[in-house]
Amino acid sequence: MQKKALVYTIVVVAAIALGVAGFILLRQNNELKEFKEQMILDRQLLEEEFNDLSMQYEGYKFTVSNDSLLKKLEGEQAKVQRLMEELKTVKSNNAKRIGELKKELETLRKIMRHYVQQIDSLNKANTELKEENTRVRQQISQVTTTAQRLQAEKTALNEQVQRASKLSVSYIAVSLLDKKGKETKKIKKAAQIRVVANIDRNVTAEVGEKTIYVRILKPDGEILTLHDGTFAYENGMLEYSMKRTIEYDGEPVQVTLFWDISEYLLEGNYRADIFSDGHLIGKKAFRIE
């Protein structure tokens, strides 16, 4: 009876042990399955993180104009892509290598943050430089506009001064003189043409010697002249009939010039033009009959 009880006890204990062992084995199998599933999930997440980091590098490359920094970004992106390719070949149960790749990912993220700071700093500097360039261009534009305005005002003022300093003639008389110096109306008796001009008072004109030129135009448009003398006028040179140098002090002065008749003068309309300092200061039409 005792022997049967002992056998029964052994059987029960064995059954219990077998059941416990089965339970433990089942639990271990479940845990291993869960571990494998978790490792697969971790690897997938790690692949996504590597891909996201690579895309971040790609995006920042378009915001960088610094060649040296761009080259560094491309180098780091190549590392990310290389590790991402390696991760695809790592088995899901290789926890050690997956863990190492996670650490390398964190290192690459830190490097990325460092480059982001550099990029932000460069972009800020570039923005400030562009703003400064804009301000400088505006200042240059303002200075140029001011200079152009001042130059225009200076030119206008110079023109006003030139006009103001230009001599003017208020009275011109042209007459024919005979050999005795008396006025005559007959062209056959005329020996000289006399031109009398009253130069007005002008306190703005430069004082000193002034050369007065007279051009007498015949009815056919030719100039009465006995020489090859010329004077400057409006970017050219003009012939003159006679000239006289006077001392001008800004006060009114009368100038008389004579033309000795040495050729036959046609009857008709003549004109005497008077010049000084490169300006036409008076003209007088007259007729010889």
Side-chain angles (χ1 to χ4, degrees):
M1 186 70 180
Q2 291 181 349
K3 188 177 180 181
K4 289 183 178 180
L6 179 60
V7 172
Y8 177 77
T9 300
I10 292 172
V11 171
V12 171
V13 171
I16 293 173
L18 184 61
V20 171
F23 174 76
I24 292 173
L25 182 60
L26 179 62
R27 182 177 179 181
Q28 288 178 341
N29 287 335
N30 290 335
E31 290 178 350
L32 181 60
K33 182 179 179 182
E34 291 177 358
F35 175 76
K36 288 181 178 180
E37 291 176 350
Q38 184 62 45
M39 290 301 296
I40 292 173
L41 180 60
D42 288 347
R43 192 179 71 172
Q44 291 175 345
L45 292 175
L46 192 58
E47 285 182 12
E48 292 178 1
E49 290 177 352
F50 270 114
N51 186 62
D52 289 343
L53 187 59
S54 178
M55 294 304 295
Q56 289 179 37
Y57 272 112
E58 186 67 24
Y60 277 114
K61 281 163 54 179
F62 292 101
T63 66
V64 175
S65 57
N66 183 287
D67 292 339
S68 177
L69 182 56
L70 180 61
K71 188 174 181 180
K72 292 178 180 179
L73 287 176
E74 290 174 343
E76 293 302 320
Q77 185 184 21
K79 288 181 183 179
V80 173
Q81 292 174 341
R82 187 170 60 253
L83 292 174
M84 186 166 58
E85 291 300 320
E86 180 185 347
L87 179 61
K88 293 179 181 179
T89 64
V90 174
K91 294 182 179 181
S92 301
N93 59 356
N94 192 345
K96 181 180 179 181
R97 186 52 186 156
I98 292 176
E100 291 173 348
L101 290 173
K102 282 184 178 181
K103 291 181 180 179
E104 292 193 45
L105 176 64
E106 288 303 318
T107 301
L108 291 172
R109 280 177 173 165
K110 290 179 181 179
I111 295 174
M112 164 62 85
R113 286 194 290 269
H114 173 71
Y115 284 131
V116 168
Q117 290 176 353
Q118 290 188 46
I119 293 170
D120 290 342
S121 178
L122 286 174
N123 288 341
K124 182 179 179 182
N126 288 336
T127 300
E128 292 175 351
L129 183 60
K130 289 179 181 178
E131 292 175 351
E132 180 64 23
N133 287 339
T134 300
R135 286 194 295 270
V136 170
R137 284 195 296 270
Q138 290 174 346
Q139 292 173 357
I140 291 174
S141 177
Q142 292 174 355
V143 170
T144 301
T145 301
T146 301
Q148 291 174 344
R149 178 176 57 80
L150 291 176
Q151 182 61 41
E153 291 176 355
K154 180 181 178 181
T155 300
L157 181 60
N158 288 337
E159 291 175 354
Q160 291 177 2
V161 171
Q162 289 178 0
R163 286 194 296 270
S165 62
K166 173 184 172 183
L167 298 182
S168 61
V169 176
S170 59
Y171 171 80
I172 301 174
V174 180
S175 56
L176 299 178
L177 302 179
D178 60 19
K179 293 181 180 179
K180 295 182 179 181
K182 295 182 179 180
E183 292 188 7
T184 180
K185 297 292 185 179
K186 297 180 179 180
I187 191 172
K188 293 181 180 180
K189 293 183 177 182
Q192 289 181 316
I193 298 175
R194 181 179 65 188
V195 178
V196 179
N198 289 345
I199 299 177
D200 298 333
R201 180 176 184 270
N202 190 336
V203 295
T204 62
E206 184 178 354
V207 299
E209 288 189 350
K210 300 286 184 182
T211 301
I212 310 300
Y213 297 93
V214 177
R215 281 165 53 91
I216 298 178
L217 281 75
K218 297 187 292 185
D220 59 4
E222 295 293 327
I223 303 296
L224 285 177
T225 181
L226 295 175
H227 48 73
D228 296 328
T230 59
F231 65 95
Y233 178 70
E234 292 186 351
N235 300 320
M237 303 300 294
L238 293 179
E239 292 181 309
Y240 60 88
S241 303
M242 45 192 166
K243 70 176 182 178
R244 180 179 173 185
T245 300
I246 63 172
E247 191 70 29
Y248 184 71
D249 60 1
E251 296 300 323
V253 61
Q254 187 176 85
V255 183
T256 303
L257 301 97
F258 298 91
W259 167 260
D260 294 327
I261 299 174
S262 59
E263 62 181 89
Y264 176 75
L265 297 181
L266 298 173
E267 293 185 5
N269 296 320
Y270 289 72
R271 191 179 80 228
D273 294 340
I274 303 176
F275 298 82
S276 180
D277 294 333
H279 299 289
L280 175 63
I281 62 175
K283 60 175 60 179
K284 174 73 173 182
F286 61 97
R287 183 172 178 81
I288 295 178
E289 296 178 347

